[in-house]
Amino acid sequence: MTTTSEPTELSEPALSVRQVLTLERVLAGEPEVVAGAGQLDRPVRWVHVAEAPDVGVMLTGGEMVLTTGVLLAGDEDKQAEYIRSLHRAEASAVVLGLGRAFPAPPEVMRRAAERCGLPMVVLHRPFPFAELTEEVQCRLVRRKFAAVSLSESVRTALTALITAGAPLQSLLDEVASHSACPVVVTNLAHRVLATAGERSAVDDVLRDWERIARQAGGSEGDGWIRAGLGGRGERWGQIMLCGHRGDTATGRLLADRAAEALVLHRMLGGNSAHTWEEQSAQSLLTDLVSGVVPARQLLPRARAAGLPVNRRTFVPLVVRDVEPGQLDRVLRMVGLSGLVAELADGAVAVLLSLARDQDAPVLTANFAARVHSEAARTVVAAADPRTAWDDVPTGLREAQHVADAADSSAALDLPAVVRLRDVHLRGLIRLLRDDPHVQSFAERELDGLLCAADEDMLSVLRTYLATGRNKSRTAQLHHVSRPALYRRLEAIQTRLGVDLDDFEQAASVHIALLAHDAQQS
């Protein structure tokens, strides 16, 4: 298992040159930056006191070198070479204590440092170098310990969540709590798969995601820290800390630990990047259907998830008795843009996004026809197309209602795409099924059969009414003779106290049975 980011070096935590210059003990020496002022954010990995002119050969990079320059006084060539050797060794800065050797900043050294971009600082007051080295080294050791502690804390917390079978979102919430910034997981196409962090901050990131995604391959800066996701030589995504305000090393550590955990989560759970895409779509469509979050606030999430939203026509669909993966394949086969997600009740929501000049009814019918070819016994319910994003939640709920109503009766001769006008009375009853008046009406009308708990008689009654009181068809469907059916119908009428040959009484019983079935489902 590997991640594609560079590992964070816990053994070399760093302060910046700027941070060192703000230490109280350093300020007592009245420091002045005389060269390389634009490079003060360079990391200081260590502090080294050295007077030797050839000190560069003893450095490994990242050192702040302290000197009085006593061996350099009077030789400008040595002074210039001293600075160049520090630059070649990738020292972070040079600090010169003014005194007998150099009562003022040496111009040769200053010019050489400026050309090399090496921060050069002079101390105007006598200063014991030992105090500075002690202060910086203690802080670096404390940072190293804090980095190790943070690394183990994050790893332990994430491992515990994975062991407990926690979902991806729980892992990201944990990372966001440590990083105190939005966390975003994307696939290789920079499509957002999951997010975590303060909702308003995440929304701000997603609102500008197109620009961020274009720059995603650039260098890190301003707290934007990335770690690749992948394994076995294959990369399949990345995790980003967006606007991390801590030091870069800590941010990289957090991103690396998070990436390790996400790869492990995927391996142990048998998940895939595609599954994460489904989870992202499910979260978005569930929020749209519920109406808890205003549609306008969900628009950045939809755009970041790869759904075209500008000047589009949206077709809300709900499909029964089919797997989300099948519908994803159908979308790709017919070349349509959309999101697919399984809803809480097992139905699958599909939100098509079409160009304004495309024929929405025709394309919807083509999609439904391909779905029926994949799964013959299924229901494709659709709401009318929406051109405003704010109307999408209502459309999804309408499609869900149509699917519920259509799914409740196999006797209906359904079209390829079922709409609200196709479910007639059944659709109205589904809307009213939780009304206490409707519930009491159903119980009152069907009391004779419900008390007897005779499901066989209810089944016969249901078929008889659904077939338009066709006795021959009902007998055929229940595999009984017509005389046997007549006896059952007489028993049903006796228990209910109705005459099923009377249209109004039969309609009343039919409505009550529809309400009862709707309540039971």
Side-chain angles (χ1 to χ4, degrees), residues 232-371:
R232 300 173 183 173
E234 179 186 8
R235 182 180 175 186
W236 40 265
Q238 69 176 357
I239 182 170
M240 292 181 64
L241 306 186
C242 305
H244 178 63
R245 295 183 179 179
D247 62 84
T248 302
T250 300
R252 288 200 189 102
L253 181 150
L254 285 169
D256 287 345
R257 293 296 170 266
E260 291 171 2
L262 296 189
V263 172
L264 181 61
H265 179 270
R266 177 185 182 229
M267 291 177 64
L268 294 181
N271 293 327
S272 65
H274 180 68
T275 299
W276 288 2
E277 289 180 351
E278 288 181 354
Q279 292 175 2
S280 173
Q282 182 178 41
S283 173
L284 174 60
L285 292 182
T286 299
D287 285 346
L288 279 169
V289 171
S290 69
V292 174
V293 182
R296 182 58 51 182
Q297 293 183 21
L298 296 173
L299 188 59
R301 284 173 58 188
R303 184 183 290 112
L307 184 73
V309 295
N310 295 332
R311 296 186 58 78
R312 305 290 287 188
T313 297
F314 303 100
V315 181
L317 303 169
V318 171
V319 185
R320 288 282 186 183
D321 303 319
V322 67
E323 294 296 322
Q326 289 179 282
L327 297 181
D328 262 331
R329 287 196 300 273
V330 170
L331 275 181
R332 292 193 294 271
M333 289 167 63
V334 298
L336 295 179
S337 298
L339 294 178
V340 177
E342 187 170 3
L343 301 178
D345 61 355
V348 181
V350 181
L351 182 61
L352 300 180
S353 175
L354 309 176
R356 290 283 176 88
D357 59 354
Q358 291 180 297
D359 192 325
V362 170
L363 292 176
T364 303
N366 291 343
F367 173 79
R370 190 60 68 97
V371 171

Side-chain angles (χ1 to χ4, degrees), residues 136-179:
V136 174
Q137 315 303 38
C138 286
R139 286 177 178 266
L140 291 176
V141 169
R142 286 199 297 270
R143 279 183 167 236
K144 176 181 178 180
F145 178 79
V148 172
S149 177
L150 174 63
S151 175
E152 289 308 307
S153 174
V154 172
R155 178 184 279 120
T156 299
L158 294 178
T159 301
L161 288 171
I162 294 171
T163 303
L168 169 66
Q169 190 61 52
S170 296
L171 272 66
L172 296 182
D173 289 341
E174 184 70 24
V175 175
S177 71
H178 285 283
S179 64

Side-chain angles (χ1 to χ4, degrees), residues 383-406:
D384 291 334
R386 265 66 175 170
T387 56
W389 175 257
D390 288 343
D391 294 334
V392 168
T394 304
L396 284 168
R397 289 192 289 271
E398 179 183 314
Q400 191 175 29
H401 161 66
V402 172
D404 287 346

